[in-house]
Amino acid sequence: LQTRMQSLQPDPKAQYRSVYEALKKIVLTEGFWRPLRGINVTMLGAGPAHAMYFACYEKMKKSLSDTIQHGGNSHLANGIAGSVATLLHDAVMNPAEVVKQRMQMFNSPYKSVLVCIRTVQRTEGFGAFYRSYTTQLTMNVPFQAIHFITYEFMQEQINPCREYNPQSHMVSGAIAGAVAAAATTPLDVCKTLLNTQENMALSSVNISGHLSGMVNAFKTVYQLGGVSGYFKGVQARVIYQMPSTAIAWSVYEFFKYLLTKHKLEKRT
């Protein structure tokens, strides 16, 4: 839904006024499973990407907090740790995101994930999978910095003892995801344009060939939609991120609790 709603020059058949209308229209005209196209490639990359992400975050958060605030909870340390963890995470997830978004476009020419990978590799080269990597980082570094700082801040407010509390992890995760998603929507619109290389949009502003680079993407989005163009799909993005971050933190905190509990039992 987010990819479709962020389209800057959509086909008349793929114009949507709201998230609900988009979902209803896609299901009715393109089938029940259409909104989930490309999700398998995202799931394949998500496992290793998130493992590196949280491992790096925990290690760096602890080291930096000890240095900056001598064992205390430093918001600066949380932000830096989240940003560095993002570098590793996005190196794995960026190609998966390119494939997913191309498969979710209206009238996508790709029949399967493998066909998409082979076609993009053959016609645009390996670099196409990383064309939006710098944009992804430009977006995800502030996103994750805001995300982690908000999560840790919310935990301080509603779970000051930092005990395992599923409700507090879920609420903190959802709020952190919503705040970070809304703040970084303009960057996400630019990333979608770079990933999809939307032909109708690019030709309408006389761009031939492939669009690359964050600055060019920003200019093109403004040419096509003005200031409001930067906030296309903001509702879909917030709705998508809230349950996503709530679940991610709940699962992470659950396994962290299990492992630390197991370690303590072993020691005693």
Side-chain angles (χ1 to χ4, degrees), residues 96-149:
E97 185 77 1
V98 171
V99 174
K100 184 197 80 172
Q101 288 195 318
R102 290 202 181 214
M103 291 189 72
Q104 288 178 345
M105 285 167 69
F106 182 73
N107 275 343
S108 173
Y110 312 108
K111 299 284 177 247
S112 70
V113 167
L114 278 176
V115 168
C116 183
I117 293 168
R118 284 184 195 138
T119 310
V120 172
Q121 166 71 43
R122 192 177 65 249
T123 57
E124 298 175 48
F126 181 74
F129 295 108
Y130 283 94
R131 194 177 281 131
S132 65
Y133 183 56
T134 50
T135 312
Q136 182 91 332
L137 289 177
T138 309
M139 180 187 77
N140 277 357
V141 166
F143 176 91
Q144 297 302 355
I146 296 166
H147 173 203
F148 282 107
I149 289 167

Coordinates of all heavy atoms in Angstrom, one line a residue, residues 96-149:
A96 N 16.6 -6.5 -0.9 CA 15.3 -7.1 -0.6 C 14.1 -6.1 -0.8 O 13.1 -6.4 -1.4 CB 15.2 -7.7 0.8
E97 N 14.4 -4.9 -0.3 CA 13.4 -3.8 -0.5 C 13.2 -3.4 -1.9 O 12.1 -3.1 -2.3 CB 13.9 -2.6 0.4 CG 12.9 -1.4 0.5 CD 11.8 -1.6 1.4 OE1 11.7 -2.7 2.1 OE2 10.9 -0.7 1.5
V98 N 14.3 -3.3 -2.7 CA 14.2 -3.0 -4.1 C 13.3 -4.0 -4.8 O 12.4 -3.6 -5.6 CB 15.6 -2.9 -4.8 CG1 15.5 -2.8 -6.3 CG2 16.4 -1.8 -4.2
V99 N 13.5 -5.3 -4.6 CA 12.7 -6.3 -5.2 C 11.3 -6.3 -4.8 O 10.4 -6.3 -5.6 CB 13.3 -7.7 -4.9 CG1 12.4 -8.9 -5.5 CG2 14.7 -7.9 -5.5
K100 N 11.1 -6.1 -3.5 CA 9.7 -6.0 -3.0 C 8.9 -4.9 -3.6 O 7.8 -5.1 -4.0 CB 9.7 -5.9 -1.4 CG 8.3 -5.9 -0.8 CD 8.4 -5.3 0.6 CE 8.3 -3.8 0.6 NZ 8.2 -3.2 1.9
Q101 N 9.5 -3.7 -3.6 CA 8.8 -2.5 -4.2 C 8.5 -2.6 -5.7 O 7.5 -2.2 -6.1 CB 9.6 -1.2 -3.8 CG 9.5 -0.9 -2.3 CD 10.0 0.5 -2.0 OE1 10.9 1.0 -2.6 NE2 9.2 1.2 -1.2
R102 N 9.4 -3.2 -6.4 CA 9.2 -3.4 -7.8 C 8.1 -4.4 -8.1 O 7.3 -4.2 -9.1 CB 10.5 -3.9 -8.5 CG 11.5 -2.7 -8.5 CD 12.6 -2.9 -9.6 NE 13.6 -1.9 -9.5 CZ 14.2 -1.4 -10.6 NH1 13.9 -1.8 -11.8 NH2 15.1 -0.4 -10.5
M103 N 8.0 -5.4 -7.2 CA 6.9 -6.4 -7.4 C 5.5 -5.8 -7.0 O 4.5 -6.3 -7.4 CB 7.2 -7.6 -6.6 CG 8.4 -8.4 -7.3 SD 8.6 -10.0 -6.6 CE 7.2 -10.9 -7.2
Q104 N 5.6 -4.8 -6.1 CA 4.3 -4.2 -5.6 C 3.8 -3.1 -6.4 O 2.7 -2.6 -6.2 CB 4.5 -3.8 -4.1 CG 4.6 -4.9 -3.2 CD 4.8 -4.5 -1.7 OE1 5.2 -3.4 -1.5 NE2 4.7 -5.4 -0.8
M105 N 4.6 -2.6 -7.4 CA 4.1 -1.5 -8.3 C 2.9 -1.9 -9.1 O 2.7 -3.1 -9.3 CB 5.2 -1.1 -9.3 CG 6.4 -0.4 -8.7 SD 7.7 -0.3 -9.9 CE 7.0 0.7 -11.2
F106 N 2.1 -1.0 -9.5 CA 0.9 -1.3 -10.3 C 1.4 -1.8 -11.7 O 2.3 -1.2 -12.3 CB 0.0 0.0 -10.5 CG -1.2 -0.2 -11.3 CD1 -2.3 -1.0 -10.8 CD2 -1.3 0.2 -12.6 CE1 -3.4 -1.2 -11.6 CE2 -2.4 0.0 -13.4 CZ -3.5 -0.7 -12.9
N107 N 0.8 -2.8 -12.2 CA 1.2 -3.4 -13.5 C 2.7 -3.9 -13.5 O 3.4 -3.7 -14.5 CB 0.9 -2.5 -14.7 CG -0.5 -2.6 -15.2 OD1 -1.2 -3.5 -14.9 ND2 -0.9 -1.6 -15.9
S108 N 3.1 -4.4 -12.4 CA 4.5 -4.8 -12.3 C 4.8 -5.9 -13.3 O 4.0 -6.9 -13.4 CB 4.8 -5.4 -10.9 OG 6.1 -5.9 -10.8
P109 N 5.9 -5.8 -14.1 CA 6.2 -6.8 -15.1 C 6.8 -8.1 -14.6 O 7.0 -9.0 -15.4 CB 7.2 -6.0 -16.1 CG 7.9 -5.1 -15.1 CD 6.9 -4.7 -14.1
Y110 N 7.1 -8.1 -13.3 CA 7.8 -9.3 -12.8 C 6.8 -10.3 -12.2 O 6.0 -10.0 -11.4 CB 8.8 -8.8 -11.7 CG 9.6 -7.6 -12.1 CD1 9.4 -6.4 -11.5 CD2 10.7 -7.8 -13.0 CE1 10.2 -5.3 -11.9 CE2 11.4 -6.7 -13.4 CZ 11.2 -5.4 -12.8 OH 11.9 -4.4 -13.2
K111 N 7.0 -11.5 -12.7 CA 6.1 -12.6 -12.3 C 6.5 -13.3 -10.9 O 5.7 -13.8 -10.2 CB 6.1 -13.7 -13.4 CG 5.6 -13.2 -14.7 CD 4.1 -13.1 -14.8 CE 3.7 -12.5 -16.1 NZ 3.1 -11.2 -16.0
S112 N 7.8 -13.2 -10.6 CA 8.3 -13.8 -9.4 C 9.5 -13.1 -8.9 O 10.1 -12.2 -9.6 CB 8.6 -15.3 -9.6 OG 9.8 -15.4 -10.3
V113 N 9.9 -13.4 -7.6 CA 11.1 -12.7 -7.0 C 12.4 -13.0 -7.9 O 13.1 -12.1 -8.2 CB 11.3 -13.2 -5.6 CG1 12.7 -12.9 -5.0 CG2 10.2 -12.7 -4.7
L114 N 12.6 -14.3 -8.3 CA 13.7 -14.6 -9.1 C 13.8 -13.9 -10.4 O 14.8 -13.5 -10.9 CB 13.8 -16.2 -9.3 CG 14.4 -17.0 -8.2 CD1 14.3 -18.5 -8.5 CD2 15.9 -16.6 -7.9
V115 N 12.6 -13.8 -11.1 CA 12.5 -13.1 -12.4 C 12.9 -11.7 -12.2 O 13.6 -11.1 -13.0 CB 11.1 -13.3 -13.0 CG1 10.9 -12.3 -14.2 CG2 10.8 -14.7 -13.4
C116 N 12.4 -11.1 -11.1 CA 12.7 -9.7 -10.8 C 14.2 -9.5 -10.6 O 14.8 -8.6 -11.2 CB 11.9 -9.2 -9.6 SG 12.2 -7.5 -9.1
I117 N 14.8 -10.3 -9.8 CA 16.3 -10.2 -9.5 C 17.1 -10.4 -10.8 O 18.0 -9.5 -11.1 CB 16.7 -11.3 -8.5 CG1 16.1 -11.0 -7.1 CG2 18.2 -11.3 -8.4 CD1 16.2 -12.1 -6.1
R118 N 16.8 -11.4 -11.6 CA 17.5 -11.6 -12.9 C 17.3 -10.5 -13.9 O 18.3 -10.0 -14.5 CB 17.0 -12.9 -13.5 CG 17.5 -14.2 -12.9 CD 17.0 -15.4 -13.6 NE 17.2 -16.6 -12.9 CZ 16.3 -17.6 -12.8 NH1 15.2 -17.5 -13.4 NH2 16.6 -18.7 -12.1
T119 N 16.1 -10.0 -14.0 CA 15.8 -8.9 -15.0 C 16.5 -7.6 -14.6 O 17.1 -6.9 -15.4 CB 14.3 -8.6 -15.1 OG1 13.6 -9.9 -15.3 CG2 14.0 -7.7 -16.2
V120 N 16.4 -7.2 -13.3 CA 17.1 -6.0 -12.8 C 18.6 -6.1 -12.9 O 19.3 -5.2 -13.4 CB 16.7 -5.7 -11.3 CG1 17.5 -4.6 -10.8 CG2 15.2 -5.4 -11.2
Q121 N 19.2 -7.3 -12.6 CA 20.6 -7.6 -12.7 C 21.1 -7.4 -14.2 O 22.1 -6.8 -14.5 CB 20.9 -9.0 -12.2 CG 22.3 -9.5 -12.5 CD 23.4 -8.9 -11.8 OE1 23.3 -8.6 -10.6 NE2 24.5 -8.6 -12.5
R122 N 20.3 -8.0 -15.1 CA 20.6 -8.0 -16.5 C 20.5 -6.6 -17.2 O 21.3 -6.2 -17.9 CB 19.7 -9.0 -17.3 CG 20.2 -9.3 -18.7 CD 19.4 -10.4 -19.4 NE 18.0 -10.0 -19.6 CZ 17.0 -10.5 -18.9 NH1 17.1 -11.4 -18.0 NH2 15.7 -10.1 -19.2
T123 N 19.4 -5.9 -16.9 CA 19.1 -4.7 -17.5 C 19.7 -3.4 -16.9 O 20.1 -2.5 -17.5 CB 17.6 -4.4 -17.6 OG1 17.0 -4.5 -16.3 CG2 16.9 -5.5 -18.5
E124 N 19.9 -3.5 -15.5 CA 20.4 -2.3 -14.8 C 21.7 -2.5 -14.1 O 22.3 -1.6 -13.5 CB 19.3 -1.8 -13.9 CG 18.0 -1.3 -14.6 CD 17.0 -0.9 -13.6 OE1 17.3 -0.2 -12.6 OE2 15.8 -1.4 -13.7
G125 N 22.1 -3.8 -14.0 CA 23.3 -4.1 -13.3 C 23.2 -4.3 -11.8 O 22.1 -3.9 -11.2
F126 N 24.2 -4.8 -11.1 CA 24.2 -5.1 -9.7 C 23.9 -3.8 -8.8 O 23.3 -3.8 -7.8 CB 25.5 -5.8 -9.2 CG 25.5 -6.1 -7.8 CD1 24.8 -7.2 -7.3 CD2 26.3 -5.3 -6.9 CE1 24.8 -7.5 -5.9 CE2 26.3 -5.7 -5.5 CZ 25.6 -6.7 -5.0
G127 N 24.4 -2.7 -9.4 CA 24.3 -1.4 -8.6 C 22.9 -1.0 -8.4 O 22.6 -0.2 -7.5
A128 N 21.9 -1.5 -9.2 CA 20.5 -1.1 -9.1 C 20.0 -1.5 -7.7 O 19.1 -0.9 -7.2 CB 19.7 -1.8 -10.2
F129 N 20.5 -2.6 -7.1 CA 20.0 -3.1 -5.8 C 20.5 -2.2 -4.7 O 20.0 -2.3 -3.6 CB 20.5 -4.5 -5.6 CG 19.9 -5.5 -6.5 CD1 20.7 -6.1 -7.5 CD2 18.6 -5.9 -6.5 CE1 20.1 -7.0 -8.4 CE2 18.0 -6.8 -7.3 CZ 18.8 -7.4 -8.3
Y130 N 21.5 -1.4 -5.0 CA 22.0 -0.4 -4.0 C 21.9 1.0 -4.4 O 22.6 1.9 -3.8 CB 23.5 -0.8 -3.6 CG 23.6 -2.0 -2.7 CD1 23.8 -3.3 -3.3 CD2 23.4 -1.9 -1.4 CE1 23.8 -4.4 -2.4 CE2 23.5 -3.0 -0.5 CZ 23.7 -4.3 -1.1 OH 23.7 -5.4 -0.2
R131 N 21.1 1.3 -5.4 CA 21.0 2.7 -5.9 C 20.4 3.6 -4.8 O 20.7 4.7 -4.7 CB 20.1 2.7 -7.2 CG 20.1 4.0 -7.9 CD 19.3 4.0 -9.2 NE 20.0 3.3 -10.2 CZ 19.4 2.3 -11.0 NH1 18.2 1.9 -10.7 NH2 20.1 1.7 -11.9
S132 N 19.5 3.0 -4.0 CA 18.9 3.8 -2.9 C 19.5 3.6 -1.6 O 19.0 4.0 -0.6 CB 17.4 3.5 -2.9 OG 17.2 2.2 -2.5
Y133 N 20.7 2.9 -1.5 CA 21.3 2.6 -0.2 C 21.7 3.8 0.6 O 21.4 3.9 1.8 CB 22.6 1.7 -0.5 CG 23.3 1.2 0.8 CD1 22.6 0.6 1.8 CD2 24.6 1.5 1.1 CE1 23.2 0.1 3.0 CE2 25.2 1.1 2.2 CZ 24.5 0.4 3.2 OH 25.1 0.0 4.3
T134 N 22.3 4.8 -0.1 CA 22.7 6.0 0.6 C 21.4 6.8 1.1 O 21.4 7.3 2.2 CB 23.6 7.0 -0.2 OG1 23.0 7.1 -1.5 CG2 25.0 6.4 -0.4
T135 N 20.4 6.7 0.2 CA 19.1 7.4 0.6 C 18.5 6.6 1.7 O 18.0 7.2 2.7 CB 18.1 7.3 -0.7 OG1 18.8 7.8 -1.8 CG2 16.9 8.2 -0.4
Q136 N 18.6 5.3 1.7 CA 18.0 4.4 2.7 C 18.7 4.8 4.0 O 18.1 4.9 5.1 CB 18.3 3.0 2.4 CG 17.8 2.0 3.4 CD 16.3 1.5 3.0 OE1 15.6 2.2 2.4 NE2 16.0 0.3 3.4
L137 N 20.0 5.0 4.0 CA 20.8 5.3 5.2 C 20.4 6.7 5.7 O 20.3 7.0 6.9 CB 22.3 5.2 5.0 CG 22.9 3.8 4.8 CD1 24.3 3.8 4.6 CD2 22.6 2.9 6.1
T138 N 20.3 7.6 4.7 CA 20.0 9.0 5.0 C 18.6 9.0 5.7 O 18.4 9.9 6.6 CB 19.9 9.9 3.8 OG1 21.1 9.7 3.0 CG2 19.8 11.4 4.1
M139 N 17.8 8.1 5.4 CA 16.4 8.0 6.0 C 16.5 7.2 7.3 O 15.9 7.6 8.3 CB 15.4 7.4 5.0 CG 14.1 7.2 5.6 SD 13.0 6.3 4.5 CE 13.5 4.6 4.8
N140 N 17.1 6.0 7.2 CA 17.1 5.1 8.3 C 17.9 5.5 9.5 O 17.6 5.1 10.6 CB 17.4 3.7 7.9 CG 16.2 3.0 7.3 OD1 15.1 3.5 7.3 ND2 16.4 1.8 6.8
V141 N 19.0 6.2 9.3 CA 19.9 6.7 10.4 C 19.1 7.6 11.3 O 18.9 7.4 12.5 CB 21.2 7.2 9.9 CG1 21.9 8.0 11.1 CG2 22.1 6.1 9.4
P142 N 18.4 8.7 10.7 CA 17.6 9.5 11.6 C 16.4 8.7 12.1 O 16.0 8.9 13.3 CB 17.2 10.7 10.8 CG 17.5 10.4 9.4 CD 18.6 9.3 9.4
F143 N 15.8 7.9 11.3 CA 14.6 7.1 11.7 C 15.0 6.2 13.0 O 14.3 6.3 14.0 CB 14.1 6.1 10.6 CG 13.0 5.2 11.0 CD1 11.7 5.6 10.9 CD2 13.3 4.0 11.6 CE1 10.6 4.8 11.3 CE2 12.2 3.2 12.0 CZ 10.9 3.6 11.9
Q144 N 16.1 5.5 12.9 CA 16.5 4.6 14.0 C 17.0 5.4 15.2 O 16.7 5.0 16.3 CB 17.6 3.6 13.5 CG 17.1 2.6 12.4 CD 15.9 1.8 12.8 OE1 15.4 1.9 13.9 NE2 15.4 1.1 11.9
A145 N 17.6 6.5 15.0 CA 18.1 7.4 16.1 C 16.8 7.8 16.9 O 16.7 7.7 18.1 CB 18.9 8.5 15.6
I146 N 15.8 8.4 16.1 CA 14.6 8.8 16.8 C 13.8 7.6 17.4 O 13.3 7.7 18.5 CB 13.6 9.5 15.7 CG1 14.3 10.8 15.2 CG2 12.3 9.8 16.3 CD1 13.6 11.3 13.9
H147 N 13.8 6.5 16.7 CA 13.1 5.3 17.1 C 13.7 4.8 18.5 O 13.0 4.6 19.4 CB 13.3 4.2 16.0 CG 12.8 2.9 16.4 ND1 13.3 1.7 15.7 CD2 11.9 2.4 17.3 CE1 12.7 0.7 16.2 NE2 11.9 1.1 17.2
F148 N 15.0 4.6 18.5 CA 15.6 4.1 19.8 C 15.6 5.1 20.9 O 15.3 4.7 22.1 CB 17.1 3.7 19.5 CG 17.2 2.4 18.8 CD1 17.6 2.3 17.5 CD2 17.0 1.2 19.5 CE1 17.7 1.1 16.8 CE2 17.1 0.0 18.8 CZ 17.5 -0.1 17.5
I149 N 15.8 6.4 20.6 CA 15.7 7.4 21.7 C 14.3 7.4 22.3 O 14.1 7.5 23.5 CB 16.2 8.8 21.2 CG1 17.7 8.8 20.9 CG2 15.8 9.9 22.1 CD1 18.2 10.0 20.1

